């Protein structure tokens, strides 16, 4: 399973990258707003810096909602570096833009997917990635992971190459269940990556090892 980090924060990306846990990065307008990105230039500079740092797929999301606007933004972002995958929302205009961009060889990550047939449509339109939002489904008392499980089955049934990104991850169980379901990628917020590393028995075990070692050396 590949790990992407779901953030626009360069410090978080740098730290997770040094842990060897960044196979890619996903951003969205909310995450960019959180780090104070205000202009198109700032956004493109940020995407460029992230690409230079990770040398791996980086999703940059369009903010236009009409096909022509999406295409213009997507083509601009795709020119930043080869690492850029353009994030397009799951709408009729988004599907039209996805088809055109895929035909031009631009990787598209279709985002805001909440049911498996949306993922099937995105795959048929040529998307390189689909992003089902698990946490937001859980938030409304619907089991988000069921969506991922069904997408895995559908893509296997028909041999789609489109990769499934488990998105809107809120906790380690989402990563575990995504891996068990056979999703290709989990895009994980920094805090959850750190939670994945920690286990209380690891800390207790390490403390005991060091205490035993010190006691022997002093005796
Ligand atoms: O990148 C999109 C997605 O992961 C958003 O997560 O926590 O805002 O639902 P969240």
């Amino acid at each position: 399973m590949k790990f992407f980090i779901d953030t626009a924060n360069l410090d978080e990306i740098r730290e997770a990258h040094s842990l060897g846990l960044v196979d890619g990065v996903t951003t969205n307008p909310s995450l960019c707003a959180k780090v104070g990105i205000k202009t198109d230039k700032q956004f493109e500079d940020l995407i460029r810096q992230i690409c230079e740092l990770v040398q791996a797929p980086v999703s940059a999301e369009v903010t236009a909602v009409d096909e022509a606007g999406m295409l213009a933004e997507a083509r601009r972002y795709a020119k930043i570096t080869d690492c850029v995958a353009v994030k397009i929302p799951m709408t009729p205009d988004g599907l039209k833009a996805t088809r055109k961009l895929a035909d031009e060889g631009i990787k598209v990550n279709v985002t805001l997917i909440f049911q498996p047939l949306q993922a099937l449509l995105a795959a048929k339109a040529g998307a390189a990635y689909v992003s089902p939002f698990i946490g937001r489904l859980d938030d409304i008392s619907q089991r988000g992971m069921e969506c991922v499980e069904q997408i895995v089955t559908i893509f296997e049934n028909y041999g789609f190459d489109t990769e499934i990104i488990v998105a809107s991850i809120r906790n380690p169980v989402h990563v575990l269940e995504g891996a068990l379901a056979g999703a290709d990628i989990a895009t994980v917020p920094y805090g959850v990556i750190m939670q994945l590393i920690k286990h209380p028995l690891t800390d207790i075990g390490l403390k005991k090892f060091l205490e035993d070692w010190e006691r022997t050396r002093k005796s």
Side-chain angles (χ1 to χ4, degrees):
M1 186 187 225
K2 285 181 266 188
F3 273 28
F4 287 6
I5 182 167
D6 197 27
T7 185
N9 182 311
L10 276 168
D11 291 334
E12 292 182 352
I13 296 168
R14 213 171 278 117
E15 178 62 19
H17 188 248
S18 70
L19 291 165
L21 292 175
V22 177
D23 300 312
V25 180
T26 50
T27 65
N28 63 38
S30 303
L31 293 170
C32 291
K34 207 167 152 189
V35 295
I37 299 297
K38 290 195 173 123
T39 65
D40 291 350
K41 182 173 176 330
Q42 285 177 336
F43 176 68
E44 289 177 31
D45 285 347
L46 174 70
I47 296 296
R48 187 172 298 105
Q49 285 180 69
I50 298 174
C51 289
E52 278 166 13
L53 180 60
V54 301
Q55 309 275 332
V58 175
S59 289
E61 186 156 343
V62 300
T63 51
V65 289
D66 63 299
E67 183 194 352
M70 287 178 185
L71 288 172
E73 263 187 75
R75 288 172 182 144
R76 214 169 65 233
Y77 300 158
K79 282 197 187 115
I80 298 175
T81 79
D82 289 349
C83 291
V84 171
V86 181
K87 232 169 161 184
I88 301 272
M90 179 65 214
T91 62
D93 278 56
L95 273 186
K96 291 182 207 165
T98 299
R99 179 73 276 161
K100 290 201 173 120
L101 294 166
D103 289 345
E104 292 170 26
I106 295 173
K107 287 195 165 185
V108 177
N109 173 357
V110 176
T111 188
L112 289 167
I113 285 185
F114 292 96
Q115 53 99 338
L117 292 175
Q118 291 180 314
L120 174 59
L121 301 189
K124 284 172 71 62
Y129 307 101
V130 288
S131 292
F133 276 31
I134 300 317
R136 293 190 195 185
L137 283 168
D138 285 358
D139 289 345
I140 58 159
S141 307
Q142 207 174 316
R143 204 173 76 81
M145 202 51 65
E146 194 176 326
C147 180
V148 172
E149 290 158 2
Q150 291 178 347
I151 298 169
V152 169
T153 303
I154 292 169
F155 284 9
E156 276 173 9
N157 285 349
Y158 296 100
F160 285 111
D161 293 335
T162 307
E163 292 189 278
I164 303 164
I165 304 179
V166 183
S168 184
I169 281 179
R170 303 278 163 76
N171 56 57
V173 176
H174 282 153
V175 182
L176 173 65
E177 290 185 348
L180 290 172
D184 303 280
I185 300 159
T187 190
V188 192
Y190 178 77
V192 177
I193 293 180
M194 299 318 284
Q195 285 179 303
L196 293 176
I197 297 169
K198 294 282 279 182
H199 194 287
L201 289 181
T202 305
D203 297 339
I204 292 166
L206 179 60
K207 188 165 171 279
K208 174 96 170 53
F209 283 155
L210 296 179
E211 283 168 0
D212 290 347
W213 180 245
E214 279 307 310
R215 197 176 313 112
T216 314
R217 280 154 56 101
K218 281 179 191 150
S219 61

